[in-house]
Structure formats: C-alpha cells, structure tokens
Amino acid sequence: SPRDACLNAMSQGGSDAGLDFVASLVDNWLRTSEDSLQSSWNALLLCSNPRLVQVLKSFEERLAPFQALQAYGVRISLGDRAVANDVLKYLDSEKYPSGGTRSLAVQLLGELQQWDAVLAVAPANDEKIDLAIIALLSRDDAPASGVSILDMYTQNDLPSIRRQALAQMLRLGKQSYLDSYLLELQDYPFTPGSLLALSMLTDMQGLPRHVVDIMTARFENCTDDSHKLGLVRALVRTGHPLACDYLGEMMLAQKESPAVLSFISEVLGNSGPQSVDWFIKKWQGDQSENNAIPVFSALSRYASMPRVEKLFVDTATSNSTLPIIRLYLLGMLPKIYPYKIPQW
C-alpha cells in the first residue's frame, strides 16, 4: 500500500527522524496489537541507521519469538554479533515448537559461525530446520566435519532433504552418491524407484555428462507423454550443453507428439542463450504462421543478442515474410527495442 511504501522509504532513508517515527509506530503496535500498525515492524527492519541496534534492544523483551530472531538477524548485520547465547535458547523445541522459529535460529547461528551448535541440532526431524542446516553446510566457510552430517541427510526419509544433501555432495565432488539413483534410472519409466530417481535428479545443477546420457537413452523406452515430459524437464534443468543439444534436435525432428514438442519449445526457450541457435534453425526450416509465435516468443528473451535482433529486423522488413507474421513482429519490436525503431 502507499502507506507501507512511505514507511519503508522513510526507514530505508536512515535518518534519525525517520527511525524515531517508525520506532514510535512499532512501540504503539506492541502496546495495542493493532493490525494496521504491523507493517511498521517490517519497515523498521529495513533501516540502516546504526542507532537501530539500540532501538531493537529496547523492544527485545516485548517481541514474539520469531520477531525477536528477526531483530537479532538485523543486529548481526549491523555488526552486533554478541547475541549467540540469546539465539541459542530458541533451539529448545519444548519452549519453541515452531519449525520456522527454530530454523531461523539455526540460520543465525550459522551467520555467527557457531558451527558446534548448528551440527548438534542435526538431525532435527523437522523439514524446515534440516533444510536450513543443509543450506548452511553448503557455505564455503562450513566446517569439514559437516560432510558426515550431509552424508546422514542423503539417507533421510524425506525426498526434499535427500535432494538438497545430494546436491551439496555433488558440489563437493562426491559423485559416487549418484550411483544408486543412476542404477534405478536405467529402468525408467518401468519401476517406482526409477520415477523417484528422476524426481530426485530434476533441478540438480552440475550433473555430469553420463547422467545426461542415461536420461536421453531412456526416451526410446517411453510410450506415455507424461514420462517423456518428465525427462525433458529433468534434462533442461541440468543446464548441460548436451541436454540442450539433444532437446534442440528433438524440436527440429518434429517426431514427438504436439504436447511434447510444445513443452520442449517452452522449456528450451527458458533455458538460456544456448538455445538461440536452435530456435533460429527452427525458423529457417519452417517460416509458417504456426511456427512464428513459439520461435519469436522464445527468442525475445535474448533480444539483446545481435543475431537475434538481425533475425527480427530482417524478417519484419522482408517482403517475402507472410503479412500476418510481419504484423506480429512490427507490433512486438517497439516493445523490445523502443529506442531503435527510428534506425530501421
């Protein structure tokens, strides 16, 4: 709302007057619990004035647990790092059963490099907290002893936790943790284990080439479009150049169902600049009205690339281009290149 925007701007300005005004609203909110004043707390946390540390200390005893931890986080960012003992008490699951509260406490202890306290919590048997611990152990300054904790998490019952732990193991170069999943994946899509393996590997960055090779080899075993869509999704999210090339070839070959081809075009177009050459080839091979929108929509994401701009302009200004496609492009170009139209 405009009121909240004004409060945020006032707080972010960092002036003493702005800090005092927003702090007075927070004081009123803590006294009255009036809902309309709650946004003043969020605004206060945006302030960069060094006096904010003292202001937050003055509110400390009146804050709910999560808000108290938010305040400690801001104080830490402003250089007040003598709060470890204050944060530690929020790890008590009996007093503070909320996973959100305790996961924030874990994150703050990581910021304070209180690694012994962080590792002592694992496993917390709470998804939010365990994911927070894995995220901390993914940091460059995490202790080497954290690897044994990550190993434990790779065997957790929850797929979300296993996936994050596995991803960090891969970043550490421990590719042997993939072996059991790749063994299952070789049976895709015929076993429940293979479906789970693909799910686990989807969104996993930095997967090695042999994983991409296994995924591409499984297409010929899929008769159901949903299984093919799962492979397409997993491949494009690996970010591997070979995955992009494989999907690009599939898009050009036009041998799959319309649903699969449409999905390939969509995800490939979102995958990054490496997809540009494939869409240019697609257009060169088929300059029909039906092909224009998916191709130019995908390429518009990379409009700053010279060869994309050249294709747009050449196609829009060519007399051999179908009138309806020229009309589409001429309506699109001013939005993409608002300052270049006079040059053309």
Side-chain angles (χ1 to χ4, degrees), residues 66-205:
F66 192 81
Q67 293 152 0
L69 288 167
Q70 287 181 306
Y72 289 135
V74 172
R75 287 168 59 180
I76 291 169
S77 70
L78 293 174
D80 181 16
R81 302 179 66 82
V83 295
N85 289 334
D86 297 310
V87 174
L88 272 169
K89 67 183 182 183
Y90 289 99
L91 295 181
D92 188 331
S93 59
E94 292 186 1
K95 289 185 178 179
Y96 307 102
S98 166
T101 295
R102 286 184 288 134
S103 68
L104 180 53
V106 166
Q107 292 172 51
L108 295 182
L109 290 170
E111 289 296 322
L112 294 168
Q113 297 189 318
Q114 298 290 314
W115 293 111
D116 288 344
V118 171
L119 297 180
V121 176
N125 299 317
D126 180 287
E127 185 177 13
K128 288 183 178 179
I129 301 171
D130 286 323
L131 288 175
I133 293 171
I134 294 171
L136 289 172
L137 295 178
S138 302
R139 290 173 28 159
D140 292 337
D141 60 345
S145 57
V147 173
S148 62
I149 301 297
L150 289 170
D151 175 76
M152 174 188 65
Y153 279 132
T154 63
Q155 303 165 57
N156 194 277
D157 289 338
L158 291 178
S160 59
I161 291 176
R162 290 204 307 276
R163 182 185 293 112
Q164 292 303 316
L166 177 61
Q168 177 54 15
M169 284 300 199
L170 294 181
R171 283 192 285 270
L172 293 173
K174 301 182 182 297
Q175 293 189 9
S176 63
Y177 280 83
L178 284 173
D179 292 349
S180 62
Y181 295 104
L182 298 185
L183 190 63
E184 292 280 5
L185 190 61
Q186 290 174 6
D187 291 326
Y188 185 85
F190 303 119
T191 65
S194 69
L195 299 176
L196 176 61
L198 186 69
S199 173
M200 288 293 295
L201 296 173
T202 299
D203 288 330
M204 198 81 64
Q205 295 294 316

Side-chain angles (χ1 to χ4, degrees), residues 189-265:
F190 303 119
T191 65
S194 69
L195 299 176
L196 176 61
L198 186 69
S199 173
M200 288 293 295
L201 296 173
T202 299
D203 288 330
M204 198 81 64
Q205 295 294 316
L207 289 173
R209 173 174 177 164
H210 67 276
V211 179
V212 174
D213 289 340
I214 292 174
M215 289 182 183
T216 56
R218 299 312 299 171
F219 265 97
E220 64 184 34
N221 300 97
C222 297
T223 56
D224 190 294
D225 276 0
S226 65
H227 294 146
K228 293 181 180 181
L229 295 180
L231 283 172
V232 171
R233 186 180 297 107
L235 276 168
V236 78
R237 290 179 180 175
T238 66
H240 198 287
L242 289 178
C244 176
D245 291 345
Y246 183 83
L247 294 175
E249 293 284 5
M250 286 183 69
M251 182 174 69
L252 295 185
Q254 295 285 299
K255 293 181 179 179
E256 299 295 337
S257 70
V260 172
L261 290 172
S262 175
F263 188 64
I264 290 174
S265 178

Side-chain angles (χ1 to χ4, degrees), residues 315-317 321-334:
T315 306
T317 57
T321 302
L322 290 174
I324 193 169
I325 296 175
R326 291 185 70 187
L327 185 63
Y328 171 74
L329 281 173
L330 290 171
M332 185 175 75
L333 290 181

